[in-house]
Amino acid sequence: MADFGLYTYQQEVVERALKRENVIIWLPTGGGKTRAAVYVAKKHLETTPDAKVMVLVNKVHLVDQHYNKEFEPKLGLRYTVRKVSGESDEKDIFGLVVQESDVVICTAQILYNALINKEDARHVELSDITLLIIDECHHTHKESVYNKVMRLYVEKKLKEEKPLPQILGLTASPGTGGAKTLDKAVEHVLEICANLDSAIVSTKQYAPELKEVVPRPRKTFNIVNKRDRDPFGDHLKSMMTIIHGYMEIPPDFKLRECGTQEYEADVVILEQRGVRDNNRLLAQCALHLRQYNDALLNNDTLRMIDAYRSLEEYYSKKRTKAIDGTDFFLLGLFEENQVELRNFAMDSRFDNPKMDELQSTLLKQFGSGVPSRGILFSKTRKSTHCLKDWVLKNRALKDAGIKADILTGAGNGITYMTQNEQAETIRSFRMGSLNLLISTSVAEEGLDIPECNLVVRYGLLTNEIAQQQASGRARARDSQYAVVAQAGGREHRRERINEYLEELTGKAIDRVQRMSHYEFNLKLSELQQKAIISSKIEESCKTEKRSRNTASSIQFLCRNCFTPVASGSDIQLVDNTQYVNVSPDFKNHYKAAGQVILERSFEDWEPGCRIRCKKCNKEWGFEIKYKKHVLMPNLAIKNFALETPKGRITVKKWKDVPFPVEDFDYEEYCQENFPDLFD
């Protein structure tokens, strides 16, 4: 193993995997889990007839990362190593790719699609795979795609269908699953083990070496007192009180404190209730209150001007969307108070003390004369942009040599990054042209980011897994993990709870590891049988729910203006992913504006323009051009209300709609809409 560059602690954790046991390797971020997995794969390929290694990741960028950094360099000379993601054409012939390769690295969704797809060119059987490596395997729970794959595995195992692949899971922390007691935490760890049909292993004999190789950063709580006066926040709250009086909150409903996550949850429920009760006044007021609450949360974490600008941007768009007295009242309220809010936001006497403390934390590291590299973690994409603007305009930070840029998740909105932009930012960070990443949680796990001297958590409420992942980014010698928070505030409390939960995770894993072989296997078998039964019951309930109503009995309404615009029978499912309206009459209800740009391309369709309600300008989705010439609107269900025989409802995802959706038949559609082509 030494010739492969493994530390002794890595050799210890792979021992059972080399004996063909199913195991989860638990090592901290930076502990070399992937390198250990590559070694197991190498030995497996050398000793297994017709070996086929599959490496599953949960994010597209990790496909390239694992391929380029580990598997291809270490195995590519002797074996055929291929990478496949949703962005590559090879996904459409995935079954053939697997047949022709020794090692395949792919997103879990690609494998799951192949397992349930029966077309020869796309289909893969679990029995085709001899070793299945699952990265960040703590995500193997509930309805995650990892768990869907492993559920197929467990079903075959319980039916004694063979052969099945050996499982190798990799994680820095399985967490406690929300449990606060040791017994419940043990239960959670056992569930992860059952889902992966694996034992969990960690270094015992060589733990001191692991601590030497992956030192823990020095942790500091940089605590600030609440600002003495906050006229900007107080004025926002007074405006919210006016809206409370105008909207006539139902007597059976009580809103919690403004400026909290709990208040946000309350107004989300109020908006849903307004839609359900055909009460547009209640629904719209709730939506606006959420914006004010976001501004209060921003005021607590960012600059006052950032909070003000978020409202200014929101209301600048609302000026063209007002359709009744409610809209004019809400728009007027903001415009009447706009100047006063801006003046408060520009008054430096009331600046956020957290920002001063954040500046001090950054200057201590970057102004020390020691070459430094750091990550500043923040909650939202919006906040990363605001913090970047602050850093770039801050003379003291500039003089300290800080060169910052943002790193956020990939997507299609303005505040998202493309995969290429992510890669370029990380490359610049590695090369030194950037030395501070201002990041959302995307940088917590998986990404190949160079070791840092400083990690700062700012305005974050996350679980113990995210905290451990973030802490693991501070891997340089004498590094610091800093939490900037208000004394006694929610972030401070959550960080302390996470410290306890991290310790509890270790105790739970230790107890599971101490279980006898018989007891452990018995427990896993019980949990697996229970999980399969629960899954079947849940699937049956979903099927029953979808059959409660006929598609034609469901009416689609714009969620903003409540205008009826479509029937459920107009909706069909394209390629198991896109929900489109196939009725030619639907175009009378929307207007198209602004081309949608997607970084990746698709086999059968390409994006068109965004679509909005003709009456109120509410965004509904975007058009897709299918097979070069069929233009159809692709709808986001969250932007509609559904009128059902039992009343009006809202759903977040298409899987939750209470009616069956037919699969799109391209030939039938063309015959109905382009009959001349078939004469």
Side-chain angles (χ1 to χ4, degrees):
M1 294 189 201
D3 63 320
F4 203 75
L6 291 191
Y7 290 103
T8 316
Y9 72 82
Q10 289 171 306
Q11 296 175 28
E12 180 183 2
V13 297
V14 300
E15 281 178 0
R16 291 176 64 178
L18 295 177
K19 296 174 184 174
R20 301 186 184 276
E21 292 184 45
N22 287 359
V23 297
I24 299 166
I25 291 177
W26 174 46
L27 285 175
T29 301
K33 296 180 292 294
T34 309
R35 178 63 56 86
V38 176
Y39 182 80
V40 173
K42 177 176 178 288
K43 289 299 179 186
H44 182 87
L45 289 162
E46 290 171 350
T47 58
T48 307
D50 302 317
K52 191 80 64 180
V53 177
M54 185 82 68
V55 184
L56 298 189
V57 298
N58 64 328
K59 293 175 183 173
V60 173
H61 60 259
L62 295 178
V63 174
D64 284 335
Q65 183 174 299
H66 283 338
Y67 177 86
N68 295 328
K69 296 282 291 185
E70 294 287 355
F71 285 90
E72 172 60 22
K74 293 291 183 183
L75 304 176
L77 288 177
R78 265 188 83 180
Y79 303 101
T80 305
V81 183
R82 304 276 285 277
K83 56 176 182 172
V84 184
S85 72
E87 297 182 347
S88 59
D89 294 335
E90 289 183 318
K91 70 181 185 298
D92 300 315
I93 52 166
F94 188 67
L96 300 177
V97 172
V98 172
Q99 288 177 27
E100 297 165 358
S101 310
D102 300 307
V103 181
V104 178
I105 305 165
C106 66
T107 51
Q109 190 66 52
I110 295 288
L111 176 59
Y112 181 69
N113 291 347
L115 290 170
I116 62 176
N117 192 312
K118 298 308 177 186
E119 292 178 41
D120 288 344
R122 299 185 183 218
H123 183 63
V124 171
E125 286 283 349
L126 277 171
S127 56
D128 297 334
I129 306 163
T130 57
L131 173 63
L132 184 60
I133 299 172
I134 302 180
D135 189 38
E136 307 293 357
C137 69
H138 51 274
H139 293 296
T140 313
H141 60 90
K142 297 180 181 175
E143 289 307 301
S144 73
V145 67
Y146 275 170
N147 213 23
K148 288 179 180 178
V149 170
M150 284 308 302
R151 205 173 283 145
L152 295 174
Y153 174 103
V154 170
E155 282 186 13
K156 287 182 177 294
K157 177 205 169 187
L158 294 177
K159 293 175 184 175
E160 299 185 352
E161 293 181 18
K162 295 181 180 179
L164 286 172
Q166 178 187 351
I167 304 297
L168 177 62
L170 311 174
T171 184
S173 173
T176 67
K180 301 290 196 311
T181 64
L182 182 56
D183 285 346
K184 290 290 185 183
V186 168
E187 236 175 81
H188 171 73
V189 173
L190 283 169
E191 281 180 8
I192 295 289
C193 290
N195 292 343
L196 287 152
D197 194 43
S198 300
I200 188 163
V201 299
S202 56
T203 184
K204 299 289 187 186
Q205 190 175 350
Y206 299 101
E209 181 192 44
L210 174 61
K211 287 182 180 178
E212 176 66 25
V213 174
V214 190
R216 295 204 63 154
R218 174 173 51 91
K219 184 169 186 176
T220 62
F221 282 95
N222 301 357
I223 303 303
V224 299
N225 293 321
K226 192 174 183 179
R227 63 181 107 185
D228 295 329
R229 289 184 60 205
D230 182 17
F232 177 79
D234 292 341
H235 200 79
L236 288 177
K237 289 176 183 176
S238 70
M239 294 169 69
M240 294 168 80
T241 301
I242 292 171
I243 298 174
H244 292 164
Y246 180 78
M247 71 194 293
E248 298 178 0
I249 298 169
D252 63 336
F253 197 92
K254 186 172 177 60
L255 286 166
R256 285 170 284 186
E257 184 184 354
C258 296
T260 63
Q261 299 290 350
E262 291 77 17
Y263 182 90
E264 180 177 321
D266 290 342
V267 293
V268 166
I269 293 169
L270 268 185
E271 188 272 338
Q272 293 169 346
R273 183 162 170 173
V275 172
R276 189 186 68 214
D277 296 345
N278 198 32
N279 185 342
R280 188 171 187 275
L281 167 65
L282 186 65
Q284 287 302 303
C285 287
L287 286 174
H288 286 248
L289 285 169
R290 185 172 182 180
Q291 293 298 319
Y292 282 104
N293 196 64
D294 281 347
L296 283 172
L297 291 170
N298 286 335
N299 182 50
D300 182 55
T301 307
L302 304 166
R303 298 168 297 185
M304 292 182 290
I305 195 64
D306 297 318
Y308 169 76
R309 283 174 183 159
S310 69
L311 284 173
E312 186 179 52
E313 182 182 345
Y314 179 73
Y315 280 100
S316 69
K317 295 175 182 175
K318 285 292 179 184
R319 289 188 180 96
T320 61
K321 298 180 181 179
I323 60 173
D324 65 12
T326 298
D327 297 326
F328 289 114
F329 165 77
L330 293 166
L331 181 59
L333 178 66
F334 176 74
E335 290 178 340
E336 288 166 15
N337 290 272
Q338 188 171 2
V339 173
E340 197 167 2
L341 282 173
R342 187 192 297 119
N343 290 338
F344 283 138
M346 300 293 287
D347 194 330
S348 60
R349 292 176 299 168
F350 310 117
D351 282 346
N352 188 349
K354 286 184 186 175
M355 298 294 286
D356 293 334
E357 186 60 40
L358 178 58
Q359 175 179 309
S360 175
T361 301
L362 293 172
L363 287 175
K364 280 177 188 173
Q365 182 64 52
F366 287 94
S368 64
V370 177
S372 297
R373 188 186 271 133
I375 303 178
L376 168 57
F377 283 105
S378 188
K379 182 182 177 184
T380 64
R381 291 185 299 275
K382 180 78 173 175
S383 65
T384 63
H385 285 268
C386 293
L387 287 168
K388 178 187 173 182
D389 181 68
W390 169 71
V391 170
L392 294 178
K393 292 177 179 176
N394 187 300
R395 174 51 70 89
L397 297 180
K398 190 175 180 181
D399 290 346
I402 292 180
K403 294 164 287 187
D405 209 343
I406 61 169
L407 181 65
T408 62
N412 307 318
I414 296 171
T415 57
Y416 287 88
M417 298 181 77
T418 65
Q419 298 286 349
N420 288 337
E421 286 171 337
Q422 279 186 341
E424 184 56 38
T425 299
I426 294 171
R427 191 178 301 115
S428 298
F429 190 62
R430 184 176 292 110
M431 300 300 290
S433 54
L434 295 174
N435 56 16
L436 179 67
L437 293 180
I438 304 172
S439 179
T440 55
S441 60
V442 70
E444 285 171 352
E445 68 177 37
L447 283 172
D448 182 30
I449 294 173
E451 56 190 33
C452 299
N453 311 75
L454 175 68
V455 166
V456 183
R457 301 251 297 171
Y458 187 69
L460 281 176
L461 287 170
T462 56
N463 63 19
E464 72 282 5
I465 295 176
Q467 179 177 307
Q468 284 176 259
Q469 301 275 12
S471 173
R473 291 300 179 191
R475 299 205 294 268
R477 294 286 166 190
D478 303 317
S479 59
Q480 181 188 1
Y481 172 81
V483 179
V484 177
Q486 185 177 297
R490 53 206 171 110
E491 296 99 337
H492 189 191
R493 292 196 302 272
R494 184 69 226 189
E495 199 78 17
R496 289 299 192 192
I497 290 170
N498 285 343
E499 288 177 346
Y500 164 72
L501 295 179
E502 182 180 348
E503 188 179 328
L504 191 64
T505 300
K507 290 178 179 177
I509 291 172
D510 184 62
R511 183 184 284 188
V512 169
Q513 290 173 333
R514 290 173 184 273
M515 292 173 73
S516 70
H517 184 72
Y518 173 79
E519 183 187 6
F520 178 77
N521 285 336
L522 182 64
K523 188 65 180 173
L524 251 60
S525 181
E526 289 173 359
L527 288 170
Q528 288 171 346
Q529 289 174 5
K530 180 181 173 183
I532 294 298
I533 292 169
S534 297
S535 173
K536 290 186 184 303
I537 292 172
E538 191 175 331
E539 195 57 43
S540 175
C541 289
K542 284 181 184 176
T543 303
E544 189 272 331
K545 181 181 178 182
R546 283 221 164 180
S547 61
R548 284 178 197 167
N549 306 288
T550 61
S552 59
S553 70
I554 305 296
Q555 190 77 29
F556 276 58
L557 284 66
C558 173
R559 186 154 176 170
N560 183 54
C561 64
F562 302 165
T563 302
V565 294
S567 164
S569 56
D570 299 332
I571 309 300
Q572 293 187 3
L573 180 58
V574 174
D575 294 344
N576 209 35
T577 54
Q578 309 292 335
Y579 287 84
V580 300
N581 190 313
V582 297
S583 169
D585 296 332
F586 186 61
K587 65 179 63 158
N588 298 324
H589 295 288
Y590 74 82
K591 53 188 175 184
Q595 176 69 34
V596 174
I597 307 296
L598 301 180
E599 186 187 30
R600 57 183 286 198
S601 59
F602 300 87
E603 182 185 14
D604 290 326
W605 65 274
E606 58 188 83
C609 294
R610 299 187 188 282
I611 61 171
R612 299 178 182 276
C613 176
K614 262 190 181 176
K615 182 176 179 181
C616 71
N617 222 26
K618 170 77 173 174
E619 189 166 317
W620 287 347
F622 61 90
E623 293 175 323
I624 64 170
K625 187 179 286 186
Y626 190 70
K627 294 192 182 293
K628 303 298 182 185
H629 69 275
V630 175
L631 197 64
M632 299 178 292
N634 172 40
L635 307 181
I637 189 63
K638 65 181 181 180
N639 296 327
F640 296 89
L642 303 180
E643 198 73 72
T644 78
K646 291 188 177 180
R648 190 177 298 179
I649 64 168
T650 59
V651 295
K652 286 184 179 179
K653 297 181 180 179
W654 277 104
K655 66 181 179 64
D656 298 320
V657 297
F659 66 94
V661 178
E662 290 184 10
D663 287 330
F664 177 71
D665 187 314
Y666 176 67
E667 188 173 324
E668 183 181 305
Y669 179 88
C670 290
Q671 285 177 345
E672 288 181 7
N673 293 276
F674 309 105
D676 294 347
L677 297 176
F678 294 86
D679 287 345

